[in-house]
Amino acid sequence: MSSEGFLKEMQTIGEKFLLKLQKLPKADPVEILSFCVVLLFIVTVLLLMIIACSCCCYSCCSCDGRPDHRRRKIQVRPTAH
């Protein structure tokens, strides 16, 4: 997908979202609740992605950006019977 197509798609989604927000005060309670559930899901996914990325970055690098060489990988070997 080209960048122009992506921007056009994002603009279309934004316009639909704005239209939905404008109609929300006149909507049924079920529609308001479903909109809130979808919004909560999106926020939760974004928050979990931020937490996962920060934890991954923190485990690979120390706070100053240098790799942490103190951790060593432990190789698991099968036990002999």
Side-chain angles (χ1 to χ4, degrees):
M1 178 185 279
S2 68
S3 63
E4 292 176 12
F6 178 74
L7 290 175
K8 183 69 175 168
E9 187 69 28
M10 291 302 291
Q11 182 180 4
T12 304
I13 291 172
E15 289 171 358
K16 287 180 183 179
F17 183 73
L18 239 138
L19 185 64
K20 183 65 88 173
L21 281 176
Q22 289 172 351
K23 292 182 180 181
L24 201 57
K26 303 173 206 164
D28 295 330
V30 174
E31 190 174 357
I32 293 172
L33 182 66
S34 63
F35 182 77
C36 290
V37 167
V38 169
L39 196 62
L40 182 67
F41 176 75
I42 291 170
V43 169
T44 304
V45 168
L46 290 176
L47 183 65
L48 288 175
M49 284 177 53
I50 290 170
I51 290 171
C53 289
S54 65
C55 288
C56 180
C57 184
Y58 184 75
S59 68
C60 292
C61 305
S62 60
C63 293
D64 57 0
R66 294 180 298 174
D68 188 8
H69 294 292
R70 290 178 289 169
R71 292 187 180 186
R72 293 184 181 160
K73 293 183 180 179
I74 300 172
Q75 293 182 354
V76 178
R77 296 182 184 167
T79 59
H81 292 280

